[in-house]
Amino acid sequence: MCLSLFPWAKFRKTKAAVKLHTLLDLRGAIPSFIHISDGKLHDVNVLDVLIAEPGAFYVMDRGYLDFERLYRLHQAASFFVTRAKSNFKFKRMYSRPVDRGTGLLCDQEVELVVFYSRRDYPARLRRIRYRDAEGRRLVFLTNHMTLAPLTICELYRSRWQVELFFKWIKQHLRIKRFFGTSENAVKTQVWIAVAVYVLVAIVRKRLNLELSLHEMLQILSITPFEKIPMIQLLTYSATNEDIHDDPNQLILL
């Protein structure tokens, strides 16, 4: 965005930007936490405003690898799964046997050895090395010591749902222009876009529809004033969307 029009959204010397930090609940692919900030706020700082839920699993990429903040999740009785950086320094304390035929390479309990990292996270971590089907070797870190190692790997794989969510947001809820330039106006417009996504996702789940969210938005966008039950509208559209293959062919009867 233009910095002269959005001076509160600082990003670079001549540009402004807004970030949408999202915690996605994988049980329903619905955001459970959203924080809107300027473009300069680093992703890991959002953990400072996140209220950790005891017993919940937080799956994060390496951009959120901050041992002080991860230890706060640990103290809140929450669990995390993330990936280790290439320069990760540790001391192995214990190794569990693994079935290397499943792609697992090791399952270890480790302690940090770097002074500041050890000070920020004095407890043990679990380190799991895994080789995927494409031959890539991935190293996961977690504070959960009893789950099966493959379950930890599958938990991290589910993080891809976050990428799909943002891809969907960018493709189908594009904000081509803002109706106001103040911080409140921009955040309100972004919240409206997110609310649309959540409402459509809830309708799709409750009505058990096969339509994609994009198809549902297309139908609802052209029938906002139709006095017809939503289930009937969406079901009728789903059964008649493939009547003819050529979209340019006119319907005579």
Side-chain angles (χ1 to χ4, degrees):
M1 300 184 297
C2 178
L3 186 59
S4 60
L5 294 177
F6 304 90
W8 55 271
K10 296 180 180 179
F11 180 50
R12 295 176 181 170
K13 290 184 178 180
T14 58
K15 292 183 179 180
V18 171
K19 277 188 176 183
L20 184 68
H21 309 269
T22 306
L23 175 65
L24 197 67
D25 191 334
L26 295 178
R27 293 172 296 183
I30 290 179
S32 59
F33 168 86
I34 287 180
H35 179 72
I36 304 174
S37 72
D38 58 45
K40 294 185 68 175
L41 183 69
H42 194 278
D43 294 345
V44 73
N45 293 329
V46 179
L47 294 178
D48 296 333
V49 297
L50 175 67
I51 299 177
E53 180 182 348
F57 280 85
Y58 294 92
V59 184
M60 303 166 283
D61 62 21
R62 285 178 288 190
Y64 294 87
L65 187 56
D66 181 279
F67 290 113
E68 181 180 1
R69 293 177 170 91
L70 292 180
Y71 191 61
R72 288 206 295 264
L73 290 178
H74 180 71
Q75 289 180 309
S78 302
F79 304 106
F80 60 83
V81 179
T82 185
R83 285 182 61 189
K85 294 182 178 180
S86 58
N87 60 349
F88 176 62
K89 305 295 183 182
F90 65 95
K91 178 173 64 175
R92 181 176 60 87
M93 305 303 295
Y94 176 75
S95 293
R96 299 182 178 90
V98 296
D99 182 2
R100 299 179 71 90
T102 61
L104 292 170
L105 301 176
C106 71
D107 182 3
Q108 305 169 334
E109 289 187 19
V110 302
E111 289 183 352
L112 303 176
V113 295
V114 177
F115 173 77
Y116 293 105
S117 299
R118 185 181 178 88
R119 181 194 63 184
D120 294 338
Y121 199 103
R124 287 188 180 185
L125 284 165
R126 188 177 179 188
R127 176 179 178 266
I128 298 172
R129 291 182 65 210
Y130 175 75
R131 182 175 56 233
D132 64 11
E134 299 177 0
R136 296 176 300 178
R137 298 194 177 192
L138 308 173
V139 181
F140 303 110
L141 296 176
T142 182
N143 63 331
H144 200 295
M145 299 298 179
T146 59
L147 272 180
L150 283 178
T151 303
I152 299 295
C153 299
E154 287 300 320
L155 279 172
Y156 191 83
R157 190 196 303 272
S158 65
R159 194 191 64 84
W160 184 247
Q161 296 296 325
V162 179
E163 305 296 337
L164 295 179
F165 166 75
F166 276 108
K167 182 179 180 181
W168 192 92
I169 287 288
K170 292 176 182 178
Q171 289 179 344
H172 306 306
L173 291 183
R174 292 181 181 178
I175 300 177
K176 297 182 179 180
R177 64 181 183 277
F178 288 103
F179 297 105
T181 59
S182 68
E183 181 177 1
N184 182 65
V186 171
K187 289 185 176 182
T188 299
Q189 194 166 343
V190 173
W191 274 111
I192 291 173
V194 174
V196 169
Y197 168 85
V198 172
L199 289 173
V200 173
I202 291 174
V203 169
R204 181 174 182 266
K205 183 176 182 179
R206 290 190 175 181
L207 298 182
N208 195 25
L209 297 173
E210 297 295 334
L211 290 171
S212 68
L213 295 179
H214 176 54
E215 292 170 332
M216 291 180 62
L217 277 176
Q218 286 184 316
I219 296 171
L220 296 175
S221 65
I222 61 176
T223 57
F225 302 109
E226 292 286 343
K227 294 183 178 180
I228 181 174
M230 187 172 294
I231 179 63
Q232 183 179 345
L233 174 66
L234 296 175
T235 304
Y236 176 81
S237 301
T239 56
N240 290 276
E241 59 182 357
D242 296 324
I243 293 179
H244 44 277
D245 296 329
D246 188 357
N248 296 318
Q249 178 66 43
L250 298 178
I251 300 176
L252 300 179
L253 298 175

